Amino acid sequence: MNASAAPIEVRLNLPRAEFEVQVDLALPARGITVLFGPSGSGKTTVLRCVAGLERARTARVVVDGAVWQDEAAGVFLPTHRRPLGYVFQEASLFDHLDVRANLRYGLRRVRDPGAEATLAQAVELLGIGSLLGRGTQQLSGGERQRVAIARALAMSPRLLLLDEPLAALDASRRQDILPWLERLRDELSIPMLYITHSADELARLADHLVVLACGRVRAAGPVQEVLSAIDSPLVMGEDTGALLHGTLAERDARWQLARVDFPGGSVWLRDSGVPVSRSVRLRVLARDVSLTTAQPQHTSIQNHFPGVIDAIVPDSHPSQVLVRLRCADSLLLARITGRALDALQLAPGQPVWVQVKSVALVQ
């Protein structure tokens, strides 16, 4: 399951009833690229075109150096000749077969001599070894999706496509399966294109982010950059915020807290049992960040550190503004009122103290 360092090329032009899908992307050959946007924005159409399930009028799709489609050159590989795995919202398992038979069903189509080892690796990575003898009717929703993902990986794909794989699960089952998806991202070199409407899934899984609206790419790049770009068209309402990469540095047994250090500061948060020295992601919502022009004292807010105002733009409501803050090499967003902006006389380039009321550990 090795992927080339060459980027994945996806160039599509496909008329639809409501709009024309037009994308031109160079995507990383490793990690998870999340396609994000409102319903009907063209996300699934892009995935189906990459899979060869729909044929764009003009298109070029190149994965791992292999040309899957190039209309200008008259190349179009049908789906069964594209080395990919596709995971849908519903697991779509064969109910007359047990888990083991479901996983082995597609192996006869795989010419890779390492297919058996690949399947064994997928079973181990997804923790489904104990399920192999079960009928599919005995599986929970989360277990069914883990089996579906393993079945897709058993095909030795060069690319894994996941179309809202957790959408049909309740919140508890989604939390059960997210760690397995993180493990696939961290331990496999295979690239993944992942569609979701969930800001939580995006923050937890994405390495690269593509924002779509009306069939067009509105923003694309590393997830931290796209989320912290306040001139970006990515509008997430109450979910607007930034991602920080840090290291769990200390655990305080007395207060059941953990300290995470990141480039530019550190924050205390509820101890969830993550080991010391583990790399983690933090999600900080703009609504949970406040600003002061003097170092805070005698405050219940425990997380505060210096920063510099990088940019200020109007927010979606005229009473508020979004402020982007640079704290050493890290970026944060704060949502404050225009009245506070005026009272504090805040401006780009001004040093401030950043107060973080709440932070979520998402990895």
Side-chain angles (χ1 to χ4, degrees), residues 71-144:
E71 291 299 319
V75 176
F76 180 82
L77 295 185
T79 302
H80 70 272
R81 291 185 55 200
R82 301 187 185 198
L84 60 85
Y86 205 129
V87 181
F88 300 89
Q89 289 186 24
E90 299 289 345
S92 302
L93 302 178
F94 297 112
D95 287 337
H96 65 288
L97 301 177
D98 65 13
V99 169
R100 180 180 286 103
N102 266 277
L103 293 176
R104 299 188 61 82
Y105 181 82
L107 286 185
R108 61 179 181 268
R109 287 177 41 208
V110 180
R111 299 178 182 177
D112 184 349
E116 291 284 354
T118 297
L119 176 56
Q121 182 186 20
V123 169
E124 192 278 327
L125 283 174
L126 287 157
I128 58 174
S130 63
L131 307 179
L132 295 178
R134 286 196 201 174
T136 58
Q137 300 294 337
Q138 299 174 285
L139 302 178
S140 69
E143 289 169 340
R144 289 177 67 89

Side-chain angles (χ1 to χ4, degrees), residues 196-209:
T196 182
H197 285 98
S198 166
D200 289 334
E201 288 175 46
L202 184 164
R204 188 161 176 174
L205 298 175
D207 299 298
H208 196 83
L209 177 59

